[in-house]
Amino acid sequence: MSPSTLLYDTHGAIASITLNRPDRLNTIVPPMPDEFEAAVNEAVHDDAVKVIVLRGAGRAFCAGYDFGGGFEHWDRYITTDGRWDPGKDFAFATAPQLAPTQKFMSMWRSPKPVIAQVHGWCVGGGSDTALCADLVIASEDARIGTPYARMWGAYLSGMWLYRLGLTRAKEYALTGKPLSGREAADIGLINRAVPFAALEDAVHEQAQQLASIPASQLAAMKLVVNQAYENMGLAGTQTLGPILDGLMRNTPDAHAFIDRAGGDGVRAAVAQRDGPFGDYTQAPPEQQPDPANVVPPRPDWA
């Protein structure tokens, strides 16, 4: 059966996974995590593939988890009789077979390097996902951030922590403020930022360079770097983060946030959350991604 939330293509030694819910800014809903893991596994099993490119169709890489209507897409895993069930949520958030974060972490565990091609909005769970890739190349006007740091969430993959030093990690954890692609590259959160018009070519060039290296060499170098971060407690961080995320979705303040989103609309709830900071959708147009920068469903080179 063809996936419903993404597209998978191969061209020579390069596989591409394209999140494909452009009308919803590629927000995460079931079965996207499962389809993502299946696509990574397909690339891993394909002897011809040496590099994976992750991208998003439309105006955004990924605007995080879709919380329109609360978290109803995941109700079977986190509620009982219509009420939040912390026991079920805990089991869901920590089980590798179920947890969305662990499904997206399949690219971390892949022996083949993954390049995330980021443009537009890359926020919330979308940023957690992109930062699990091995290399991240973004358009200069992209916006990368975790608005859930202010309300209704907590770090999921922990990659913000591991990619930044203590000083920066505390700053962005406590404020939730976004970075442009250029700013993210300048502080070392991502690898590189380029003008949007050059993004596809820059990613393809990097993928081709990696594909020129023996697969076993790529796997060995990725493994030794990953193991260093595993030794720093990555797995423990990824256990605590999703558990805290469930708790932060169910505080009185969080319930009021979702009630407002349900009654007045998501825009009104977001405006109340981000208005004091004047960022994300509350920022002036020049501090938001250019809506004219649209990525096609399939890369030009595929």
Side-chain angles (χ1 to χ4, degrees):
M1 182 181 297
S2 299
S4 62
T5 65
L6 54 81
L7 299 170
Y8 178 80
D9 294 283
T10 60
H11 183 76
I14 304 171
S16 67
I17 300 172
T18 303
L19 307 181
N20 193 37
R21 299 184 71 233
D23 57 323
R24 299 291 297 175
L25 300 182
N26 298 317
T27 46
I28 301 166
V29 296
M32 184 184 284
D34 292 320
E35 292 182 343
F36 182 89
E37 183 178 46
V40 170
N41 288 343
E42 184 170 348
V44 170
H45 282 90
D46 187 341
D47 292 339
V49 170
K50 297 173 74 175
V51 183
I52 303 168
V53 172
L54 171 60
R55 53 204 297 280
R59 296 188 294 112
F61 172 79
C62 176
Y65 284 83
D66 191 331
F67 66 85
F71 223 38
E72 61 185 11
H73 308 290
W74 313 92
D75 275 356
R76 62 174 290 203
Y77 298 111
I78 62 176
T79 67
T80 298
D81 297 330
R83 299 181 62 184
W84 178 57
D85 184 330
K88 287 177 70 172
D89 198 339
F90 159 79
F92 171 60
T94 59
Q97 299 83 0
L98 299 174
T101 298
Q102 292 307 312
K103 301 285 186 179
F104 291 122
M105 275 289 285
S106 58
M107 62 178 140
W108 173 271
R109 293 186 289 268
S110 160
K112 301 178 180 183
V114 180
I115 306 170
Q117 174 184 312
V118 169
H119 78 291
W121 296 108
C122 177
V123 296
S127 72
D128 282 291
T129 298
L131 297 178
C132 290
D134 301 299
L135 302 177
V136 183
I137 303 175
S139 63
E140 293 177 333
D141 72 319
R143 286 298 183 273
I144 305 169
T146 54
Y148 61 58
R150 300 169 183 167
M151 180 68 68
W152 216 68
Y155 281 145
L156 297 168
S157 69
M159 290 301 175
W160 278 83
L161 310 177
Y162 290 98
R163 286 179 175 268
L164 295 174
L166 175 62
T167 301
R168 294 286 193 179
K170 279 287 181 68
E171 178 181 357
Y172 289 98
L174 293 173
T175 66
K177 66 183 182 180
L179 297 120
S180 69
R182 169 49 53 204
E183 291 168 335
D186 287 346
I187 69 170
L189 180 68
I190 66 172
N191 298 90
R192 187 156 42 122
V194 299
F196 176 78
L199 181 60
E200 192 94 61
D201 287 343
V203 171
H204 188 221
E205 179 183 7
Q206 182 70 82
Q208 287 183 309
Q209 288 176 341
L210 293 178
S212 70
I213 298 172
S216 59
Q217 185 70 35
L218 291 170
M221 297 309 295
K222 177 171 178 173
L223 179 61
V224 71
V225 175
N226 281 12
Q227 191 58 52
Y229 283 84
E230 296 284 355
N231 291 342
M232 293 181 199
L234 177 61
T237 302
Q238 291 186 344
T239 298
L240 179 61
I243 291 173
L244 290 176
D245 184 74
L247 294 174
M248 292 303 99
R249 283 187 276 106
N250 289 279
T251 64
D253 289 328
H255 287 160
F257 175 73
I258 288 301
D259 288 345
R260 174 148 198 188
D264 300 333
V266 172
R267 286 182 180 273
V270 167
Q272 183 180 47
R273 180 193 66 196
D274 299 330
F277 295 86
D279 53 21
Y280 294 105
T281 58
Q282 305 309 298
E286 64 271 16
Q287 294 178 24
Q288 297 186 39
D290 186 340
N293 291 344
V294 176
V295 166
R298 287 186 161 83
D300 294 336
W301 45 264

